[in-house]
Amino acid sequence: MPASCNPVLRRQLVTKTSFDCLAEVIRALHAQQIPYMLTGAFASNAYGYPRATQDADIVIEYSEGVLRRLRETLGLNYQIDPQPGFELKTSTIRNLLIHLPTKFEVELFRLGTDPHDQQRFARRRRLYLEELQAEVVIPTAEDVVIQKLRWQRDKDLADVRVVIAIQAHALDWSYISCWAAEHNTVELLQQARADVGL
């Protein structure tokens, strides 16, 4: 019986949240032993205050067949756009993963040769996220700050201020400053520090 005709399954689809969808994707990555790193708002939320988001970003170690394996593990409710996109700032290839019933989207970024992408992937850590009820792999707080300074969007700079305000005394400032100099974001970093009184 199709899910749309089964009242029990239909109710489950309607009540599924973005947290549920992302948790399913994380479980599939673990099941397939695909090296990954949850980034974006979910990563910054782990070090700051949660903010709402309608999608998720995940960096994966790409190899032939990895997207097919992930899709097969997730099942028919998920679809991966076969047409990859290209992110200019880090020259990264990405594919869009969509949970069809809810339209929740996960951008799957392939780990590339960008030096900071390589560094933050090597430094990633495991952390239990309450909203997902799962242990996930995320960047360090320092690498969240560095990457969001690099994006320079208002919401990312707001995340930077929150992470700095909460994690200030635990952060490796020399590491952050080194990459900020590399990415020409030193002024943005100084402004963010000043905004939170550091």
Side-chain angles (χ1 to χ4, degrees), residues 109-128:
F109 292 87
R110 304 180 190 185
L111 179 64
T113 58
D114 178 81
H116 180 247
D117 275 0
Q118 288 281 331
Q119 184 74 37
R120 68 178 179 147
F121 200 80
R123 286 165 43 91
R124 69 198 193 280
R125 54 177 296 211
R126 289 182 174 270
L127 191 70
Y128 185 83

Side-chain angles (χ1 to χ4, degrees), residues 51-191:
R51 69 167 170 84
T53 181
Q54 299 303 313
D55 55 20
D57 301 326
I58 297 177
V59 176
I60 61 170
E61 193 170 80
Y62 182 81
S63 59
E64 190 66 35
V66 72
L67 296 179
R68 174 186 51 77
R69 286 163 42 212
L70 181 60
R71 227 289 288 140
E72 289 175 353
T73 303
L74 286 167
L76 297 178
N77 282 333
Y78 287 86
Q79 174 181 297
I80 295 180
D81 187 345
Q83 184 65 38
F86 190 73
E87 195 282 299
L88 292 174
K89 196 172 290 288
T90 58
S91 301
T92 304
I93 296 173
R94 67 176 184 267
N95 291 86
L96 191 62
L97 171 66
I98 305 172
H99 179 249
L100 298 173
T102 63
K103 306 305 181 190
F104 179 73
E105 296 181 350
V106 177
E107 286 195 283
L108 298 172
F109 292 87
R110 304 180 190 185
L111 179 64
T113 58
D114 178 81
H116 180 247
D117 275 0
Q118 288 281 331
Q119 184 74 37
R120 68 178 179 147
F121 200 80
R123 286 165 43 91
R124 69 198 193 280
R125 54 177 296 211
R126 289 182 174 270
L127 191 70
Y128 185 83
L129 294 190
E130 189 68 37
E131 61 264 47
L132 299 182
Q133 296 289 293
E135 188 176 70
V136 301
V137 182
I138 64 173
T140 65
E142 290 87 354
D143 288 312
V144 169
V145 169
I146 292 163
Q147 189 67 12
K148 285 185 169 288
L149 284 172
R150 198 175 184 186
W151 284 107
Q152 301 185 23
R153 298 173 300 191
D154 288 345
K155 65 180 180 179
D156 293 309
L157 296 178
D159 287 341
V160 166
R161 291 191 291 271
V162 171
V163 173
I164 288 176
I166 294 175
Q167 304 291 334
H169 299 298
L171 294 174
D172 182 342
W173 287 107
S174 61
Y175 176 79
I176 294 174
S177 297
C178 179
W179 279 109
E182 183 71 21
H183 296 155
N184 297 314
T185 58
V186 172
E187 289 186 12
L188 289 173
L189 175 60
Q190 292 173 340
Q191 185 61 56

Side-chain angles (χ1 to χ4, degrees), residues 24-34 36 69-70 73:
E24 284 184 342
V25 174
I26 296 297
R27 285 195 296 270
L29 288 165
H30 287 173
Q32 287 294 331
Q33 299 183 332
I34 300 169
Y36 78 94
R69 286 163 42 212
L70 181 60
T73 303

